[in-house]
Amino acid sequence: APLNNLYSALQRMLRGQESGGTEQDLAVLYQSYFRMLRLTGNLSDAPSLLEEESLLLVNDDIVAFVHGICCRAEEPVELCGQRLIYESDKKFHVIAFNAAGIERMLLNLLSNAVKFTGPGGLITVSVRVRASAVEISVEDTGPGLDPNEQDSLFNRYLHPDLLDPAPQGLGLGLPLCRRVAQGHGGTILLTSTHHAGTKATVSLPNRRMENTKLRDMAFDYAGGFSHTLLELSDALPAKAFL
């Protein structure tokens, strides 16, 4: 689907259509590129689903980190006619976590919430600090999931017959989110009530590393582009890429 959109937009631009359409065609080009980049990123990470090793964890403020992601996602979410709310019971809290993994996981969960919550819907991201765990949850006011589908959400990529029809993805998003949670020694739980919304809760161990590690110069899978627009590209309208 992204390749077809790229080709169609290029054809319209090359044919020199009326000037009013050029900006929209450029938006479609950017959006389609971001969608392809997101897809290849997920495919590149798919082998990690077979791994059990811990991720590289660094002590940092998880509350501020999640808040920053929500601030960057707030405006794109508004373009879908929805509202994003951030809540936390702490102003700051330091734990050991993998920043790249948590960012992609949270943006992936936000993308799902945006896609399945209609205009006027509400998405709430909350951080709750418990004695043994830090819980990060993404809750939407969408239609919820069919009870018969919930059991297969984390392994649909293994069953092509269960995947949503095109242009939906390959079912890798939630399994990769679970891999990130497990790489922290944590868990992810999805609860949904049919016609009453869905809530994804990630539980991370409330602990710090004894020995501080320096961050490596990580490879930027987004090629320098906005991680927020990249991970939300499947859910946003083309105008978000103008």
Side-chain angles (χ1 to χ4, degrees):
L3 277 173
N4 285 336
N5 289 337
L6 280 169
Y7 179 78
S8 298
L10 282 170
Q11 287 295 100
R12 289 195 298 269
M13 294 174 70
L14 290 173
R15 290 171 183 167
Q17 288 190 346
E18 60 276 7
S19 58
T22 302
E23 192 175 63
Q24 178 66 19
D25 291 336
L26 285 172
V28 172
L29 284 173
Y30 273 112
Q31 182 182 37
S32 299
Y33 174 77
F34 275 47
R35 286 179 172 177
M36 290 177 63
L37 190 58
R38 181 177 186 268
L39 176 62
T40 55
N42 284 347
L43 286 171
S44 296
D45 287 344
S48 70
L49 297 175
L50 302 177
E51 300 172 358
E52 297 181 356
E53 292 83 0
S54 297
L55 299 176
L56 174 64
L57 308 181
V58 177
N59 295 335
D60 207 344
D61 186 350
I62 187 65
V63 176
F65 187 76
V66 172
H67 187 202
I69 294 173
C70 291
C71 287
R72 294 191 296 274
E74 186 175 8
E75 186 174 353
V77 170
E78 288 179 353
L79 291 175
C80 298
Q82 300 165 12
R83 191 157 62 98
L84 176 62
I85 294 178
Y86 167 80
E87 299 176 344
S88 178
D89 59 359
K90 295 282 187 178
K91 291 185 177 179
F92 61 88
H93 188 75
V94 176
I95 65 170
F97 67 94
N98 181 281
I102 294 297
E103 180 186 41
R104 291 186 71 180
M105 179 187 70
L106 181 54
L107 288 174
N108 198 299
L109 294 176
L110 279 173
S111 175
N112 286 341
V114 171
K115 280 188 284 190
F116 299 110
T117 303
L122 182 66
I123 300 171
T124 303
V125 177
S126 63
V127 181
R128 299 284 182 262
V129 178
R130 312 300 185 194
S132 61
V134 174
E135 296 179 352
I136 304 171
S137 65
V138 179
E139 185 172 9
D140 64 57
T141 57
L145 300 170
D146 188 318
N148 296 324
E149 297 179 352
Q150 295 185 36
D151 292 339
S152 64
L153 288 174
F154 289 97
N155 61 7
R156 298 177 78 181
Y157 69 99
L158 298 174
H159 306 282
D161 55 307
L162 298 178
L163 293 176
D164 294 327
Q168 299 300 330
L170 299 177
L172 290 171
L174 284 176
L176 288 172
C177 288
R178 183 172 62 180
R179 169 68 187 114
V180 171
Q182 292 174 341
H184 285 75
T187 60
I188 181 171
L189 176 66
L190 202 66
T191 56
S192 181
T193 303
H194 204 28
H195 303 303
T198 301
K199 182 177 183 179
T201 302
V202 179
S203 182
L204 305 176
N206 187 3
R207 66 189 181 199
R208 302 183 186 183
M209 302 296 294
E210 294 183 1
N211 300 318
T212 303
K213 297 181 180 180
L214 296 177
R215 287 191 180 90
D216 294 330
M217 292 299 293
F219 169 74
D220 184 3
Y221 71 99
F225 292 105
S226 164
H227 292 189
T228 305
L229 287 179
L230 176 67
E231 296 298 341
L232 297 180
S233 59
D234 277 358
L236 298 177
K239 63 182 180 181
F241 298 86
L242 289 174

